[in-house]
Amino acid sequence: MASKCGKCGPGYPTPLEAMKGPREEIVYLPCIYRNTNTEAPDYLATVDVDPKSPQYCQVIHRLPMPNLKDELHHTGWNTCSSCFGDSTKSRTKLILPCLISSRIYVVDVGTEPRAPKLHKVIESKDIYAKCDLGYVHTSHCLASGEVMLSTLGDPKGNGKGGFVLLDGETFEVKGTWEKPGSAAPLGYDFWYQPRHNVMISTEWAAPNVLRDGFNPADVQAGLYGSCLHVWDWQRHEMVQTLHLQDGLIPLEVRFLHNPAASQGFVGCALSSNIQRFYKNEGGTWSVEKVIQVPPKKVKGWMLPEMPSLITDILLSLDDRFLYFSNWLHGDLRQYDISDPRRPRLTGQLFLGGSIVKGGPVQVLEDQELKSQPEPLVVKGKRVAGGPQMIQLSLDGKRLYVTTSLYSAWDKQFYPDLIREGSVMLQIDVDTEKGGLKLNPNFLVDFGKEPLGPALAHEVRYPGGDCSSDIWL
């Protein structure tokens, strides 16, 4: 293990060793004020999640950004387990890309982990000038010591799925990772697997399409993504595009954690299915649908059929369980993927959502449920929104869930999230037989923040986690 290895770098040598790592005591979450009633900068919240601590379930520090309306979203690290063999590297900086302003903030979490401070601001003009890219989303560290970030667009908000490279020490913008002129038409998330010389990226939509909300007409017009892009990792070139059959808005992409694995999963939000991608016998890549969540026929909603809207997916470090959230239907699911081609449902939990009893939506036809679920109340608070971002503890036994997706879509689909703020919940996981159980004593209520209700998004642990670490 890393703690016993004097010459090793950040993280752990293998995913299975990471499962033996220490229990999380604090977590970091970006909190968003764009599109809320509070005119204040987004901030990074530090939350105490140690049950033995007197500050358990409390926000113990807030680091405001220097600008308004950035839309902090996903975060990453200056270095991770991909640099485990390099003793000169340490995981001390958290990278905060801004989905709307196109800035990138670098936060020092190494000096005082419980009180992070701003280390550097990378202004959008530097990214525009050196990369002709903007609207940055996913951040991954590379074994080279660099930091790589995916983008949704060009500086004008048109679709452009490219990748920004930062120097891992100075955080200067170096240029694009992909060869000039070879960006994808749309971008969002990415994951790389060097042993197979491959990276796979996904698509949301052009920033100009999604910036201010969701319009169903844009789907009919073909403005939302439906492809996976396969890249040659060494040559930095796109070599294949997989057109997903019944796969609209492929968002989060996850290879199996085992670095020798040649397969993974992607969650398709709007078509509400999970698709498995894999290396075929010919050495190229193929995709097949392995899970479908049926829509519900409804009354009192924007459309006559409501998709589940799969917005985040996660794999346990031992590659045994797949988790995903259905943001609109309101349930969180666990599947046994011992056979990746035939996932088996082992846990399901309703945590709010749009179809709860007593709400404005009436379910007319449901292929899965006999009745509409009850609203969720935790420690006296009725939870607004539905389960969205998820993060699993290293040992796989605790799942943290937040309820905000993206401020413009929150405002449209869950106006009560804007009024009441999001929450963080914790789910206890049965790692033997499978199963999910809500921890009734855990609630972080971002509706009670000092400047007003905030929208908390993705959870990160200081020592790395299931969605930020890639092994070589």
Side-chain angles (χ1 to χ4, degrees), residues 387-409:
Q388 210 286 101
M389 293 307 296
I390 52 178
Q391 189 57 265
L392 190 66
S393 61
L394 295 178
D395 62 9
K397 295 180 179 178
R398 292 167 302 284
L399 193 66
Y400 295 93
V401 185
T402 56
T403 50
S404 163
L405 171 61
Y406 162 62
S407 67
W409 288 25

Side-chain angles (χ1 to χ4, degrees), residues 66-376:
N67 301 284
L68 293 171
K69 303 188 190 309
D70 282 316
E71 190 90 36
L72 298 180
H73 200 61
H74 288 201
T75 62
W77 294 105
N78 64 313
T79 186
C80 75
S81 291
S82 65
C83 297
F84 178 75
D86 187 346
S87 60
T88 67
K89 304 291 184 189
S90 57
R91 191 178 341 225
T92 57
K93 305 294 191 300
L94 189 64
I95 314 298
L96 277 64
C98 300
L99 194 59
I100 295 301
S101 71
S102 301
R103 293 185 182 92
I104 302 170
Y105 296 111
V106 181
V107 173
D108 176 0
V109 297
T111 305
E112 285 186 71
R114 298 176 73 87
K117 57 188 178 183
L118 193 60
H119 175 73
K120 182 169 183 168
V121 180
I122 302 164
E123 291 292 351
S124 55
K125 65 180 190 317
D126 294 337
I127 299 166
Y128 297 162
K130 293 183 180 178
C131 303
D132 191 35
L133 294 170
Y135 304 89
V136 276
H137 185 268
T138 298
S139 171
H140 277 303
C141 65
L142 308 185
S144 62
E146 296 163 310
V147 175
M148 179 168 157
L149 301 102
S150 61
T151 68
L152 273 65
D154 67 11
K156 294 180 181 177
N158 303 305
K160 192 174 185 183
F163 303 92
V164 175
L165 272 184
L166 304 181
D167 183 285
E169 300 292 332
T170 65
F171 302 103
E172 292 294 318
V173 179
K174 297 179 72 173
T176 62
W177 173 84
E178 74 279 7
K179 289 185 176 178
S182 60
L186 297 173
Y188 183 73
D189 194 20
F190 72 100
W191 196 282
Y192 61 88
Q193 203 82 323
R195 291 195 196 180
H196 295 279
N197 188 35
V198 69
M199 178 180 81
I200 292 186
S201 66
T202 63
E203 302 184 328
W204 187 3
N208 290 337
V209 171
L210 63 87
R211 182 191 283 113
D212 298 319
F214 176 75
N215 183 349
D218 291 336
V219 179
Q220 299 300 321
L223 299 181
Y224 277 92
S226 60
C227 295
L228 299 184
H229 300 290
V230 182
W231 302 77
D232 186 298
W233 184 240
Q234 293 177 343
R235 299 206 323 260
H236 302 195
E237 289 178 338
M238 198 196 310
V239 292
Q240 193 181 354
T241 293
L242 299 172
H243 297 272
L244 300 176
Q245 295 296 314
D246 187 29
L248 277 171
I249 314 185
L251 293 182
E252 312 303 330
V253 61
R254 310 281 186 242
F255 263 97
L256 296 185
H257 292 289
N258 177 354
S262 58
Q263 61 181 321
F265 299 91
V266 61
C268 298
L270 195 58
S271 51
S272 306
N273 54 47
I274 301 290
Q275 307 228 4
R276 169 184 170 259
F277 55 88
Y278 59 96
K279 196 175 190 177
N280 58 43
E281 291 180 357
T284 59
W285 294 78
S286 300
V287 66
E288 63 177 353
K289 183 168 71 172
V290 291
I291 300 171
Q292 177 68 57
V293 181
K296 302 180 190 299
K297 289 188 179 178
V298 295
K299 187 168 75 171
W301 196 64
M302 66 186 297
L303 296 169
E305 281 199 345
M306 182 189 289
S308 75
L309 211 73
I310 297 174
T311 50
D312 196 16
I313 74 169
L314 198 68
L315 301 179
S316 60
L317 286 171
D318 57 5
D319 292 331
R320 187 180 162 202
F321 290 112
L322 163 72
Y323 299 88
F324 65 82
S325 52
N326 289 312
W327 191 59
L328 289 178
H329 287 181
D331 59 316
L332 181 73
R333 298 190 183 203
Q334 176 198 48
Y335 284 78
D336 185 317
I337 53 167
S338 301
D339 179 354
R341 298 193 65 180
R342 295 172 183 81
R344 181 172 58 87
L345 181 64
T346 47
Q348 184 178 22
L349 204 55
F350 277 85
L351 304 169
S354 291
I355 60 165
V356 293
K357 281 183 184 172
V361 177
Q362 181 186 354
V363 179
L364 305 176
E365 192 177 309
D366 194 325
Q367 297 179 40
E368 294 187 319
L369 302 178
K370 293 180 180 176
S371 62
Q372 295 182 225
E374 297 288 339
L376 179 65

Side-chain angles (χ1 to χ4, degrees), residues 391-451:
Q391 189 57 265
L392 190 66
S393 61
L394 295 178
D395 62 9
K397 295 180 179 178
R398 292 167 302 284
L399 193 66
Y400 295 93
V401 185
T402 56
T403 50
S404 163
L405 171 61
Y406 162 62
S407 67
W409 288 25
D410 290 352
K411 188 175 183 179
Q412 183 175 1
F413 290 102
Y414 288 115
D416 48 348
L417 260 181
I418 304 298
R419 294 189 300 269
E420 299 171 30
S422 66
V423 300
M424 180 165 70
L425 306 169
Q426 188 237 301
I427 312 303
D428 292 321
V429 178
D430 184 334
T431 56
E432 297 295 321
K433 300 175 184 175
L436 304 172
K437 185 179 178 184
L438 178 73
N439 180 346
N441 300 312
F442 188 103
L443 174 77
V444 184
D445 183 359
F446 291 93
K448 295 181 178 177
E449 287 295 270
L451 296 180

